[in-house]
Amino acid sequence: MTEEQNQLGTALRRWRDRLAPADVGLPTAGRRRAAGLRREELAALAGLSVDYLVRLEQGRATRPSEQVAAALSRALHLETSERDHLYRLAHLPLPGAGRISTHIPPSVQRLLAALTGQALAVFAADWTLITCTPLWGSLFGEPAHDPADRRNLVRDTFLPGSASAPLPRSERGREAMEAALVADLRTAQGTFPDDPRLRGLIQECTTRSPRFARLWSQGAAGALGHDRKTVTHPVVGDITLDCDILTVPGSDLRIVAYTVAAGTPAAEQLDFLRVTATRAPLND
């Protein structure tokens, strides 16, 4: 099959070849025949089987799902224009304007790779978890074990049985934290009034949670900010951490960072979890 006949596979191989292991937080030790990522490395980052990636690159599979295309875009650190090109080659509709994006710019991907030893996670505007560092998974429970449509902070906060692990406790109190989260979600609704996933989330929480319905009816809008939270961990016990939410100019992504001061008991607890942290990709 020629490159012209297999444009999708050719593009995937070229994008994979240009991405160094260090760019995605992988070790570079040992002999490598090529400077780029190996197939098994890209497959692991995207949450795909190696066999399926081989079929995509060889042109034996030509129509990946939107979920697979989104996962490959993130794993390959594609710019927005490159992501759109991937979608066109895969015969998929482009991610629509006015819809909440789960695309992570390459600069943010590099930031996560450089800070892989920290407890960081990237959320979409509706507080759907997109990706996280290994330490985040060790601290809060491995999110890759949860279905993609269930990894949402709002749903975990208000719907019984949604959270796979106890949520951290805010020093401001549960009511204040919940009110701030709902106000933040209303701000997202103002930005993305036609997003179907956001509409569905609001409808589900309004129907199933009287607490959410009451706070939503108040109409407050705002943005989550700095907080101090305590995580109850099954191995190391209670850990109190600073929680900060960082934004990316030109993007509606939220980068949530949990940090502690060096030399404190909490830092020792995080160091223990850091040793046991493993990387697990999130599937869409």
Side-chain angles (χ1 to χ4, degrees):
M1 183 178 292
T2 65
E3 289 188 358
E4 183 64 28
Q5 294 171 319
N6 183 25
Q7 294 186 49
L8 174 60
T10 299
L12 291 175
R13 288 196 303 274
R14 288 175 176 169
W15 285 326
R16 175 167 61 82
D17 288 343
R18 77 178 186 185
L19 198 60
D23 292 334
V24 297
L26 294 177
T28 57
R31 300 184 63 181
R32 303 177 68 94
R33 290 186 297 174
L37 292 182
R38 298 186 177 106
R39 279 172 171 160
E40 58 268 26
E41 291 170 338
L42 175 58
L45 290 171
L48 307 175
S49 70
V50 177
D51 177 69
Y52 184 60
L53 180 59
V54 169
R55 288 191 286 124
L56 284 172
E57 290 193 352
Q58 293 180 349
R60 293 185 287 121
T62 59
R63 292 181 176 272
S65 66
E66 291 186 39
Q67 290 79 11
V68 168
L72 284 169
S73 296
R74 290 196 293 271
L76 289 165
H77 291 199
L78 300 187
E79 300 284 357
T80 301
S81 59
E82 294 172 328
R83 178 206 62 184
D84 291 349
H85 183 55
L86 169 60
Y87 273 64
R88 292 188 188 98
L89 293 179
H91 310 286
L92 293 170
L94 298 184
R99 300 291 181 89
I100 292 176
S101 175
T102 59
H103 181 66
I104 303 177
S107 58
V108 177
Q109 298 269 22
R110 290 191 293 270
L111 175 66
L112 292 176
L115 298 175
T116 187
Q118 304 302 316
L120 302 175
V122 180
F123 290 82
D126 63 351
W127 289 101
T128 293
L129 178 62
I130 304 174
T131 190
C132 63
T133 60
L135 182 57
W136 179 284
S138 292
L139 188 60
F140 296 106
E142 184 49 64
H145 298 158
D146 299 327
D149 61 351
R150 297 289 100 182
R151 295 192 295 260
N152 182 276
L153 179 61
V154 179
R155 187 177 282 112
D156 287 349
T157 300
F158 289 99
L159 300 187
S162 293
S164 57
L167 295 177
R169 303 185 301 278
S170 169
E171 70 173 6
R172 295 185 293 169
R174 178 173 177 173
E175 180 74 15
M177 185 275 294
E178 292 178 346
L181 181 59
V182 172
D184 190 285
L185 193 68
R186 184 173 288 281
T187 299
Q189 186 204 38
T191 306
F192 302 98
D194 299 321
D195 185 87
R197 189 177 70 189
L198 178 57
R199 283 203 309 265
L201 173 66
I202 294 170
Q203 181 178 7
E204 179 183 11
C205 291
T206 302
T207 301
R208 296 180 55 195
S209 171
R211 289 185 293 123
F212 180 91
R214 176 176 56 80
L215 291 170
W216 187 257
S217 68
Q218 294 173 4
L224 282 177
H226 172 82
D227 200 352
R228 190 164 173 80
K229 298 184 178 182
T230 299
V231 178
T232 299
H233 192 275
V235 176
V236 299
D238 284 356
I239 316 175
T240 299
L241 312 98
D242 287 305
C243 176
D244 290 282
I245 300 171
L246 314 177
T247 57
V248 181
S251 169
D252 291 287
L253 297 176
R254 290 88 185 277
I255 303 174
V256 180
Y258 279 89
T259 61
V260 296
T264 61
E268 296 180 2
Q269 291 171 298
L270 278 190
D271 285 341
F272 178 84
L273 294 179
R274 200 172 279 117
V275 172
T276 62
T278 58
R279 187 184 189 109
L282 301 187
N283 299 321
D284 286 285

